[in-house]
Amino acid sequence: MQGQPAPYAAHIWVCVNERADGSKACGNGLGMTLKDLLKAGVAQRGWKGRVRVSHSGCMGLCARGPNVMIHPAGRWFSNVTPADVPAILDEVGTFL
Ligand code: FES
């Protein structure tokens, strides 16, 4: 194993977990849409290579989903909608 510093100034994690039984899960609604919008916003702001957008499985707060988390800032956003994407990116910008 080789430990190293995080390669990104910020890493945005978007839960896209889905549940076939219809119970609340971030991915059942907007998870991948949010990921795509955040990725597009990162590219638009010229942050490619410095800010990474990835999707995750369940992050444990399903009832509040869709959930988005920014590492290493420790910021968490719940009940996220596409309209929230610019505000999330504005906050990411304060970490860069
Ligand atoms: S399904 Fe997203 S936090 Fe559990």
Side-chain angles (χ1 to χ4, degrees):
M1 178 171 72
Q2 183 181 20
Q4 59 190 335
Y8 308 108
H11 201 150
I12 304 170
W13 288 93
V14 183
C15 177
V16 299
N17 188 46
E18 296 183 355
R19 291 204 176 86
D21 66 3
S23 58
K24 178 99 176 181
C26 301
N28 288 358
L30 297 169
M32 285 305 287
T33 299
L34 291 169
K35 181 191 172 193
D36 291 344
L37 290 170
L38 286 161
K39 280 184 78 128
V42 164
Q44 202 170 38
R45 293 176 189 228
W47 294 344
K48 236 175 159 183
R50 296 173 65 206
V51 177
R52 180 83 182 175
V53 181
S54 297
H55 61 266
S56 80
C58 179
M59 299 195 287
L61 294 180
C62 323
R64 300 184 202 169
N67 289 291
V68 173
M69 187 261 291
I70 303 172
H71 174 82
R75 289 288 290 151
W76 191 291
F77 303 94
S78 294
N79 297 309
V80 176
T81 72
D84 298 320
V85 167
I88 292 171
L89 293 173
D90 287 348
E91 187 154 339
V92 169
T94 67
F95 310 137
L96 304 181

